[in-house]
Amino acid sequence: MSSRSAAFPFSLTPVLRALVLGGAILFTTPAVLADALPKGVSQITSVEGLTEYRLPNGLRVLLMPDATKPTVTVNMTYLVGSRHENYGETGMAHLLEHLLFKGTPANPKIDDEFNKRGMRSNGTTSLDRTNYFELFKADDDNLKWALTMEADRMVNSFIAKKDLDTEMSVVRNEYERGENSPGNVLQKRMQSVAYDWHNYGNSTIGNRSDIENVKIENLQAFYRMYYQPDNAVLLVAGKFDTDKVLQWISAAFGKIAKPTRTLPQFWTTEPTQDGERSFVVRRSGDIQIVLLGYKVPASLHSDRNDISFAGSILTSAPHGRLHKQLVETGKVVQVFSGGAGAVAPGLMTIGAIVKKGESVDAAKEALLAGIEDFKNNPPNKEEIDRIKRDTANAFEKMLNNHEAIGISMSEFVAIGDWRYLFKVRDSVDAITAERVAAAAKRYLVRDNRTIGMFIPEDKPQRAEIPVAPDMAEVMKDFKPKPSTLSGEAFDSSPANIDQRTQVSKAGNLQIALLPKKTRGETVNVALNLHWGDETSLRGKAIVSGITAGLLGTGTSKYSRAQLSDEMSKLKMSGGIFSFQTTKANLPGALALVAHVLREASFPENEFTQAKERGLVGLEASRKEPGSILSREMSQYFNPYPKGDYREAKTLDEAIADFKAVKLDDVKAYYKEFYGASKGELSVVGDFDADSTKAVIAQMFDGWVSKAPYTRMVSKRLDPPAIRKVFNTPDKENAVYSSKMTLALREDDADYPALSIANYIFGGAGLNSRLMERIRQKDGLSYGGGSSLSAGDIDPVGSFGISATAAPQNMEKLEKAIQEELSKALKDGFTAEELAKAKSGILQKRQQSRTSDAGIAGGWNHYLYRQRNWSYAQAMDDKIQALTLEQVNAAFRRYIDPSKISTFIALDEVKAKAPAK
């Protein structure tokens, strides 16, 4: 469960910034319409395979059949978000989202059912809407249950005082986690300072005092008002039978009466801003940020997309004007842009990250100068065409995957009409340089800006925000396009993956080719290369990482910007070693990858920028509780001598090593180590196997590494248990982490049983024993769990537990963790827990094989280890055959509390305050 207001973007892809605030994924398919509609259900409209139906009680239903993946997404959107909250009730929409997982009389343990059915589920709250989604293996029983459950919790959720008492602390801990982030705090202040009256000035997470004091009666009234069928849109996407689903929806939702209440009307309009505003946030941290905010029209107004193009042209890397003016010249480390608000006039933000010790004021002035320069020098055709092309590519990728559609479609539902997604896509070509320039001059003006300071002005430069047209006017000329995308219904069982895959060699590479028909003719490629040994790689960990990071910044033929354009033209998304493209572009994409790997040039300016980014990132972690624990634990359990490639370093050692790397070191490492002497390459998707194999054979012909490869044997240290506490002043959130090492391999007889035991104890998310205690029962932590690792070749594994809490609750949290671990070891797990864990793990394993990128990466893993997918099937079979005695015995055999080391990071002053 998460709040989704305007999260602070340290980096932001420019594509679709104005289209979707949370990222949209959409696909199209020929419409599969119901043969006969259930009584009272009416079909409203259909666009590119997505069909809308309406129930008599007002519920809108969107169906998107897609047989290409054996999964289903159910998404319920309620047209209520934080902007609907009243005074003293900020954060209530998000808090109610949490309580919807606490059950109903008919479904008292919803999370339990999610876990048993292997469902990936969550809820999110934004300024304008709330949504709940489930992603699961396509199965009639799963789908019917999900639909019945959503109908049930729409009107029958407990919304009980006892649940509020524990969940309030959980939400507060979520609030505290956000307070640890300089960026999140800055964004919240931006909203509150920029807006005088509109509720967009309130962050979705809410005000701390409101979270702590909200009355259950207020929550119940809010629930009864907005959680009704006439204020909701249900979306079902994936592999299902349309007629069956409509019957189930009619049966589950149709019995809910049409509401008689009237939804409240909101008439507050934000007045025109009358002067530049400013604010300063002073908190503990190691990073500097300057952020500018400008009021912009609502999403239905055409200017919103135009001004978004301006943001992309200014801040995208590597082409953005501000990137070139400020980042490449070393004035700032990074520039970015973002936005908040869709239904009403919102905010566009432009910012920069500044290295600690350098002038924020100078960065601010440089940022403002760059924006003014843009207003005086309008975008050129190349800049506009690049954003259009990137946008078109992103939409095309959207149209090929139903699994992540929930949140994306929820944004357009909140705006007023889901078809607006297609309207926006089709209107991008009409955006011109003149429109973008006009929007920049209209909105990017001084008195419409918030930076962090108020200055009186005799001659204000105000920006009137125009009223957006109504949806009928916007949509009157919209004409749906026909759908042409299709793909096969692929059986993702291990046996079929093995049967469909061609395994062979091309030079020194082991290759796996799995051709299959995919939606949009997509292809996924994964490449692994191996070189060096323990001796030759000694002391080269830092330079190795920098070298890999610089591969895409220039070659003998292309600059970084030109490479970015080439990848865009080839419809490549991802990186050099793992990417997606299309059938027609696969040969060119493979050739480009080979060229980058064989002819990288390592430009000096890119090397300098990479070092600056790396050093700023390292410094930014110095006071972060989670980073402190990660470093300290790595050093305590480090089995490798100084200089070893895998050695754990202190932060200062890492910074010193990073600073010491010269460009000549990078070039020398590349020359000595890079080559295709040993590796694995897998291709999964829509392609011709014979021609692709020929291309692969040519890619690396004659390109060998000068450093022969020998696998480095992993080692394990088993140090005595310790408990260490680290003081992190001015941090609202505390972090707990504990660990012990294990002599364990994945093929050990006890591994399947131990993995199931870990899943039950703390690996199953909200439904694990640990989270049931520290979150559901005690309300101490927003997030936590346990983890288990095992070596696939060497017997090097570990067991760990982690969680967060308020500093004053850390003592309670640690005690609760110890009690739950002792109870599990003493009393063992139950047969019911084992059955649910088996079901959950096996369904999740099956779902993981529905991803083409996952299959490609999995093949590389198996090729290196001389295995195939029958290994996965054998693991499934072992899990299915486990007995309760085996699971309890394995947990007791391996997990010893006396060997577990505990590390805690907290503000010691806050820890002494009364527990919450």
Side-chain angles (χ1 to χ4, degrees):
M1 287 164 269
S2 61
S3 60
R4 296 184 65 259
S5 56
F8 182 84
F10 277 91
S11 62
L12 192 66
T13 304
V15 182
L16 304 180
R17 186 174 287 111
L19 311 184
V20 185
L21 300 179
I25 301 294
L26 189 65
F27 75 97
T28 60
T29 184
V32 180
L33 304 181
D35 293 330
L37 296 176
K39 184 179 179 180
V41 177
S42 56
Q43 182 181 320
I44 305 302
T45 186
S46 183
V47 178
E48 298 188 21
L50 194 157
T51 304
E52 178 181 349
Y53 301 88
R54 192 77 53 86
L55 270 60
N57 57 16
L59 179 71
R60 283 175 282 171
V61 178
L62 307 179
L63 297 187
M64 301 180 68
D66 173 24
T68 61
K69 282 188 178 181
T71 57
V72 176
T73 300
V74 171
N75 182 78
M76 176 64 79
T77 303
Y78 291 95
L79 303 181
V80 58
S82 58
R83 72 179 176 90
H84 298 87
E85 296 161 345
N86 293 318
Y87 184 78
E89 296 180 339
T90 62
M92 192 159 67
H94 174 235
L95 184 54
L96 186 60
E97 173 215 317
H98 279 242
L99 294 184
L100 261 286
F101 289 84
K102 294 298 185 178
T104 72
N107 290 284
K109 293 187 176 182
I110 292 176
D111 283 324
D112 194 34
E113 280 293 326
F114 287 154
N115 181 57
K116 183 177 72 174
R117 295 170 182 273
M119 291 182 171
R120 215 161 70 217
S121 63
N122 209 337
T124 73
T125 307
S126 77
L127 297 169
D128 298 310
R129 92 294 175 278
T130 306
N131 84 310
Y132 305 84
F133 64 89
E134 297 87 41
L135 171 63
F136 49 90
K137 175 186 174 186
D139 175 271
D140 280 359
D141 179 64
N142 280 342
L143 179 52
K144 187 175 182 181
W145 177 85
L147 294 172
T148 303
M149 180 276 297
E150 289 292 1
D152 184 30
R153 70 173 170 179
M154 176 184 281
V155 291
N156 297 317
S157 290
F158 289 128
I159 317 298
K161 180 68 165 60
K162 65 179 181 63
D163 293 328
L164 173 61
D165 289 342
T166 58
E167 203 64 21
M168 178 275 292
S169 298
V170 171
V171 173
R172 185 175 57 200
N173 186 231
E174 185 179 359
Y175 170 93
E176 290 157 348
R177 286 161 66 115
E179 290 295 289
N180 271 12
S181 165
N184 282 347
V185 172
L186 195 63
Q187 178 64 35
K188 286 203 294 186
R189 295 294 180 272
M190 170 62 73
Q191 289 176 239
S192 64
V193 173
Y195 286 96
D196 287 328
W197 304 107
H198 196 279
N199 265 5
Y200 278 178
N202 298 328
S203 68
T204 302
I205 194 68
N207 178 44
R208 186 183 193 118
S209 65
D210 290 356
I211 297 170
E212 293 176 337
N213 297 293
V214 65
K215 306 302 182 187
I216 190 63
E217 294 80 10
N218 295 58
L219 276 166
Q220 291 167 344
F222 196 82
Y223 170 66
R224 289 192 295 267
M225 175 63 71
Y226 292 106
Y227 280 64
Q228 295 289 337
D230 65 344
N231 197 48
V233 179
L234 170 68
L235 180 144
V236 183
K239 187 175 182 180
F240 60 83
D241 181 280
T242 300
D243 291 329
K244 280 185 182 179
V245 168
L246 281 174
Q247 291 291 341
W248 294 339
I249 291 172
S250 178
F253 289 90
K255 59 188 177 184
I256 302 174
K258 185 174 183 178
T260 57
R261 59 88 180 92
T262 300
L263 287 167
Q265 298 296 309
F266 295 89
W267 51 79
T268 300
T269 299
E270 184 71 15
T272 300
Q273 188 168 319
D274 57 2
E276 185 182 56
R277 303 177 184 182
S278 64
F279 64 94
V280 175
V281 175
R282 300 186 188 277
R283 289 198 179 195
S284 174
D286 298 283
I287 195 169
Q288 298 185 106
I289 308 162
V290 57
L291 187 66
L292 315 179
Y294 297 91
K295 301 276 182 53
V296 293
S299 290
L300 286 182
H301 197 283
S302 61
D303 280 359
R304 184 66 175 264
N305 290 342
D306 298 344
I307 197 66
S308 175
F309 261 53
S312 297
I313 292 168
L314 280 167
T315 63
S316 63
H319 302 98
R321 292 192 185 185
L322 292 176
H323 176 85
K324 291 181 177 297
Q325 293 169 4
L326 307 185
V327 178
E328 292 187 358
T329 59
K331 294 178 181 177
V332 303
V333 173
Q334 185 179 359
V335 293
F336 56 86
S337 62
V343 174
L347 272 179
M348 174 182 176
T349 54
I350 298 175
I353 298 174
V354 185
K355 187 178 180 182
K356 188 176 182 180
E358 296 184 353
S359 172
V360 178
D361 287 336
K364 179 192 74 174
E365 294 303 322
L367 206 57
L368 293 173
I371 292 171
E372 290 300 312
D373 178 72
F374 177 77
K375 289 159 62 178
N376 296 325
N377 296 281
N380 57 45
K381 184 177 183 300
E382 181 182 4
E383 290 173 318
I384 294 292
D385 288 346
R386 178 180 294 116
I387 304 302
K388 285 184 177 180
R389 183 182 66 233
D390 289 345
T391 303
N393 287 347
F395 266 121
E396 183 175 330
K397 189 172 182 179
M398 287 182 200
L399 299 174
N400 299 324
N401 181 3
H402 73 260
E403 289 191 349
I405 188 173
I407 292 176
S408 310
M409 185 57 76
S410 292
E411 307 297 345
F412 288 91
V413 166
I415 293 171
D417 190 326
W418 57 271
R419 297 175 300 164
Y420 188 56
L421 183 150
F422 300 94
K423 172 74 173 179
V424 169
R425 179 198 63 186
D426 296 346
S427 66
V428 167
D429 276 342
I431 296 176
T432 63
E434 292 74 20
R435 281 175 50 176
V436 173
K441 289 182 178 180
R442 191 174 299 125
Y443 303 112
L444 303 185
V445 298
R446 182 191 59 194
D447 289 344
N448 188 42
R449 179 172 67 214
T450 301
I451 355 174
M453 185 184 305
F454 179 84
I455 302 175
E457 178 62 43
D458 293 333
K459 298 179 180 180
Q461 301 176 23
R462 297 176 178 171
E464 299 290 339
I465 306 299
V467 177
D470 61 32
M471 182 59 75
E473 177 65 24
V474 173
M475 300 300 297
K476 67 180 182 181
D477 297 323
F478 172 66
K479 295 179 180 179
K481 291 183 178 179
S483 174
T484 58
L485 302 174
S486 62
E488 69 171 285
F490 181 71
D491 171 13
S492 58
S493 66
N496 190 57
I497 293 174
D498 280 338
Q499 192 273 327
R500 290 280 297 270
T501 303
Q502 303 174 27
V503 177
S504 60
K505 291 199 70 174
N508 294 318
L509 294 181
Q510 298 183 79
I511 62 173
L513 306 179
L514 199 171
K516 60 195 281 286
K517 295 295 181 183
T518 58
R519 182 173 297 276
E521 297 185 333
T522 57
V523 189
N524 282 272
V525 179
L527 169 66
N528 290 350
L529 294 175
H530 312 281
W531 48 66
D533 56 26
E534 191 169 321
T535 300
S536 62
L537 287 169
R538 182 175 176 80
K540 292 183 169 61
I542 298 293
V543 71
S544 171
I546 294 176
T547 305
L550 288 172
L551 284 176
T553 62
T555 70
S556 59
K557 289 171 57 178
Y558 302 116
S559 66
R560 178 183 175 185
Q562 289 170 331
L563 270 176
S564 177
D565 284 343
E566 287 300 308
M567 293 181 73
S568 175
K569 292 173 185 176
L570 291 168
K571 298 184 179 180
M572 293 175 66
S573 59
I576 299 300
F577 291 94
S578 178
F579 64 89
Q580 182 183 96
T581 184
T582 60
K583 181 178 183 178
N585 290 297
L586 179 61
L590 290 171
L592 183 63
V593 166
H595 170 69
V596 171
L597 287 171
R598 300 185 68 158
E599 299 185 42
S601 61
F602 306 103
E604 186 171 3
N605 67 321
E606 296 290 351
F607 170 75
T608 301
Q609 292 176 44
K611 280 194 70 175
E612 288 294 314
R613 286 195 300 271
L615 289 169
V616 169
L618 288 170
E619 286 289 358
S621 71
R622 185 177 293 277
K623 297 179 182 179
E624 293 306 308
S627 299
I628 291 171
L629 294 194
S630 178
R631 287 192 297 268
E632 292 292 335
M633 293 178 75
S634 295
Q635 292 169 62
Y636 187 67
F637 288 97
N638 172 42
Y640 303 109
K642 193 167 185 61
D644 190 278
Y645 187 84
R646 300 153 294 179
E647 167 203 7
K649 299 178 182 291
T650 67
L651 178 60
D652 289 335
E653 287 173 341
I655 289 173
D657 289 352
F658 213 94
K659 288 180 176 178
V661 175
K662 303 293 189 295
L663 181 57
D664 287 343
D665 299 328
V666 170
K667 292 180 177 180
Y669 181 87
Y670 172 73
K671 184 177 181 180
E672 178 182 358
F673 288 93
Y674 271 65
S677 299
K678 180 175 177 57
E680 301 82 38
L681 191 153
S682 299
V683 185
V684 179
D686 208 335
F687 65 97
D688 179 75
D690 291 338
S691 60
T692 300
K693 186 175 181 180
V695 171
I696 294 171
Q698 297 173 3
M699 284 174 63
F700 302 122
D701 183 39
W703 188 53
V704 296
S705 171
K706 297 179 181 178
Y709 171 72
T710 301
R711 185 182 71 84
M712 289 186 281
V713 176
S714 297
K715 301 174 183 178
R716 181 178 73 92
L717 191 67
D718 187 19
I722 61 169
R723 182 181 183 276
K724 296 187 72 173
V725 178
F726 302 88
N727 186 27
T728 55
D730 203 28
K731 294 297 183 180
E732 294 287 340
N733 196 49
V735 180
Y736 169 98
S737 191
S738 61
K739 176 181 175 179
M740 65 174 293
T741 62
L742 304 171
L744 185 68
R745 291 189 354 168
E746 286 184 355
D747 57 359
D748 286 345
D750 282 333
Y751 175 72
L754 194 56
S755 66
I756 283 281
N758 172 69
Y759 186 83
I760 297 171
F761 177 74
L766 291 177
N767 197 239
S768 66
R769 277 209 184 174
L770 187 62
M771 286 300 287
E772 283 281 356
R773 171 66 185 275
I774 65 175
R775 174 167 174 157
Q776 311 288 56
K777 180 183 176 183
D778 293 352
L780 296 171
S781 177
Y782 173 75
S786 65
S787 61
L788 176 74
S789 68
D792 50 6
I793 298 177
D794 301 316
V796 178
S798 66
F799 171 76
I801 302 172
S802 61
T804 63
Q808 51 268 54
N809 285 341
M810 183 52 69
E811 185 177 346
K812 285 185 176 181
L813 178 75
E814 185 176 8
K815 182 179 179 182
I817 291 172
Q818 293 169 349
E819 288 176 353
E820 287 303 312
L821 184 58
S822 297
K823 180 181 177 182
L825 290 167
K826 179 178 178 291
D827 301 333
F829 305 110
T830 66
E832 181 182 8
E833 288 176 314
L834 175 59
K836 291 176 182 176
K838 284 184 181 181
S839 174
I841 284 182
L842 290 174
Q843 291 200 52
K844 286 179 179 179
R845 286 173 62 84
Q846 291 168 16
Q847 286 183 41
S848 70
R849 296 192 286 265
T850 65
S851 162
D852 288 354
I855 294 174
W859 260 123
N860 279 2
H861 177 85
Y862 286 143
L863 288 173
Y864 178 78
R865 291 150 185 83
Q866 303 299 311
R867 296 171 180 164
N868 58 26
W869 285 86
S870 64
Y871 185 85
Q873 184 62 60
M875 184 62 71
D876 287 354
D877 295 341
K878 291 175 184 177
I879 291 172
Q880 186 62 59
L882 286 170
T883 66
L884 185 61
E885 291 74 17
Q886 290 173 318
V887 171
N888 286 329
F891 199 62
R892 290 171 179 139
R893 185 176 302 118
Y894 283 86
I895 308 306
D896 183 351
S898 69
K899 294 184 178 181
I900 296 178
S901 293
T902 299
F903 296 74
I904 296 171
L906 48 65
D907 183 325
E908 293 180 350
V909 174
K910 291 183 175 68
K912 296 175 182 177
K916 299 178 182 179

